[in-house]
Amino acid sequence: MHRTTPRAVRGVAAFAAGALLLSLTACGSDEPAGPATAASGGGSIDVVTRWTAGNSAAAAQKRVFDAFTAETGIKINLIEGLEAIDDQVETAVAAGKSPDLVIVNLFDKTVGWLDAGVTVPVDQYVKDWGLADRMKPQALDEWRVGGAAGGQIQGLPFSGFSWPLWYNTELLTKAGVAEVPKTTDELVAAAKKLRAAGVGPVAVGGNDWSGQKLFYQIAQSFTDAAAMRKIMTEGGYCATPSVMNGIKLFTDLRDAKVFVDNAAGLSADDMYASYYSGKAAIMSAGSWAYTESKASGTGIETRTALGGFPVPDGSVYPKPTAYQGFTGVGFMITKQGAEPGNIDRVRRLVTKFYDQPTVGDFVKDAGILPPVTGDFASSATDPLLKASLGLDAEVGYAVLPDVWIGAASDPITQVLTGAYGEATPQEICAGLDTATKG
């Protein structure tokens, strides 16, 4: 295993100049505590969260915050994370307005926050806070530096996920596709039938993270996991024949019109809208979208079968591929939050999230895969979540790029927007090598 390149925070201080400052107007409030606050120690915690209004986890998060404040008198100063939450927090730190706790994915620049001194390791907290015996080893390992046992733990994982392919079986049947495709040849044939029926095949946001993830899922079709992790971290795309075969497979599928028209100009929001409305028959989306698909009111969840992305002849994966992991949303404690006057309040809040009923609430409302042991089957009321729990027998799990590509994520996404356009395999690999080593 190779350590993720520590370039994730490109000079935190650099973000102070010319950047939009994060407003943490409630930080360090001097307001006197009321009776309940005084009785329990009071004070406040400054939190920046990825779970913003409209996210399926936001309601469950609010219930935790409300109950926590009612029980302890400790106020939560909540800031909603922007799309570029990593830049947002770095800007706040550079401006001397650091939050105490960040609820965020382990991705892009957050992978390097520990090296940059924005956050602190949580190894000792896992032990001292009574979480060591409850946490799944896989979940903790994915949050370790380098994604390997023995590395420092960068944060506390919470939102595990499955990330399958979604197939609208009603549209497939109407187009004359009898079964969900299992091979890339079957996928190409299905795409032709879907287009003839006036339906888009695979919807994807070629202009953002959703397209990046799908590209990597395809590009690693002929490369074993260890080699793929090394290349994601260090580069060498052009020099690795198996990866080049995977990139060529991607462009072959693109040129066979497997992806919807103008995929290079679309976002994840466009992908969801196309699939939910029945304009496209297939998409790649994670378990966070299970409850959101139901909330769309289209009934799409009743017409969806979950599976993997079809594989080519000669693939290292004998079954269609999907993603699964625990690098979804977790808790990262800043240096500010680790200060002696703050860490006990942070402890009390974070550990409340790991109470069995609270985890079950997130399973029910947000479709998370729990990072802790326990029986949460009764909480998995969403039909798509139930279906995803049985995917292990049907799919193989590919290497999710997030931890391995680190801060190269944004430039890589720019390269891959061209890949969804007209870029050649050689142009794509060269761009990926430059982005990785840049």
Side-chain angles (χ1 to χ4, degrees):
M1 292 269 193
H2 297 269
R3 178 185 176 116
T4 302
T5 307
R7 59 177 175 279
V9 179
R10 296 166 293 192
V12 173
F15 285 94
L20 176 65
L21 293 181
L22 171 64
S23 175
L24 289 172
T25 56
C27 287
S29 174
D30 294 323
E31 293 180 7
T37 303
S40 58
S44 63
I45 303 174
D46 301 319
V47 179
V48 179
T49 181
R50 168 70 80 183
W51 290 323
T52 58
N55 185 289
S56 60
Q61 173 184 249
K62 184 177 187 302
R63 287 192 287 274
V64 176
F65 288 161
D66 289 348
F68 176 77
T69 297
E71 293 166 7
T72 66
I74 298 172
K75 180 182 178 183
I76 305 295
N77 298 321
L78 186 65
I79 299 294
E80 291 199 343
L82 306 175
E83 179 63 26
I85 188 173
D86 44 357
D87 288 344
Q88 179 186 9
V89 171
E90 289 178 0
T91 299
V93 171
K97 295 181 177 293
S98 173
D100 300 309
L101 182 69
V102 187
I103 303 176
V104 68
N105 310 68
L106 188 63
F107 81 119
D108 200 354
K109 290 188 284 295
T110 69
V111 173
W113 279 358
L114 187 60
D115 280 339
V118 175
T119 57
V120 298
V122 300
D123 304 68
Q124 196 61 45
Y125 299 143
V126 171
K127 298 175 183 177
D128 294 346
W129 296 356
L131 297 173
D133 293 336
R134 298 183 58 212
M135 283 281 196
K136 296 176 180 176
Q138 177 194 353
L140 286 177
D141 284 349
E142 289 188 18
W143 278 73
R144 293 181 187 276
V145 172
Q152 286 184 305
I153 307 173
Q154 305 175 76
L156 294 162
F158 188 79
S159 179
F161 59 87
S162 59
W163 197 331
L165 268 288
W166 300 38
Y167 293 91
N168 185 322
T169 54
E170 182 177 281
L171 291 180
L172 291 176
T173 299
K174 287 182 177 178
V177 181
E179 297 181 348
V180 168
K182 298 293 193 298
T183 69
T184 50
D185 287 344
E186 291 174 358
L187 178 62
V188 170
K192 291 178 180 177
K193 291 181 178 180
L194 287 165
R195 284 184 173 277
V199 177
V202 180
V204 60
N207 199 30
D208 66 10
W209 56 268
S210 61
Q212 181 206 87
K213 302 303 182 290
L214 186 59
F215 169 86
Y216 272 103
Q217 196 168 343
I218 298 167
Q220 63 186 283
S221 294
F222 304 101
T223 306
D224 67 79
M228 197 68 209
R229 286 191 288 264
K230 180 178 175 67
I231 290 162
M232 289 176 181
T233 304
E234 301 176 1
Y237 292 87
C238 290
T240 309
S242 64
V243 175
M244 288 304 297
N245 287 339
I247 293 175
K248 186 174 187 305
L249 171 65
F250 172 86
T251 58
D252 286 346
L253 294 175
R254 176 199 68 191
D255 296 343
K257 298 187 180 299
V258 161
F259 309 122
V260 295
D261 294 342
N262 191 35
L266 302 180
S267 67
D269 287 343
D270 297 320
M271 174 186 73
Y272 292 131
S274 295
Y275 185 80
Y276 293 164
S277 65
K279 294 180 180 178
I282 306 167
M283 74 169 178
S284 170
S287 49
W288 56 85
Y290 295 160
T291 54
E292 292 174 5
S293 66
K294 186 174 182 179
S296 71
T298 62
I300 188 62
E301 74 281 2
T302 66
R303 301 187 293 275
T304 293
L306 302 178
F309 193 90
V311 291
D313 289 340
S315 174
V316 296
Y317 294 95
K319 296 181 288 189
T321 62
Y323 289 128
Q324 183 185 72
F326 290 92
T327 55
V329 174
F331 304 98
M332 302 188 83
I333 301 170
T334 66
K335 279 192 170 181
Q336 172 74 20
E339 289 290 327
N342 299 327
I343 190 60
D344 189 61
R345 289 192 290 268
V346 171
R347 173 190 64 80
R348 295 169 74 183
L349 175 60
V350 169
T351 54
K352 187 168 183 61
F353 275 88
Y354 290 96
D355 289 345
Q356 191 90 352
T358 300
V359 175
D361 199 28
F362 275 85
V363 171
K364 178 175 69 68
D365 271 14
I368 73 165
L369 297 185
V372 293
T373 56
D375 183 7
F376 299 99
S378 62
S379 299
T381 56
D382 182 89
L384 291 178
L385 179 59
K386 284 186 176 181
S388 74
L389 296 177
L391 279 176
D392 288 358
E394 300 178 27
V395 303
Y397 292 108
V399 178
L400 186 70
D402 292 11
V403 171
W404 307 103
I405 63 177
S409 181
D410 284 348
I412 282 175
T413 296
Q414 294 174 17
V415 171
L416 297 182
T417 296
Y420 282 95
E422 298 180 350
T424 66
Q426 194 62 36
E427 290 170 337
I428 295 167
C429 77
L432 293 174
D433 279 333
T434 298
T436 302
K437 298 173 183 177

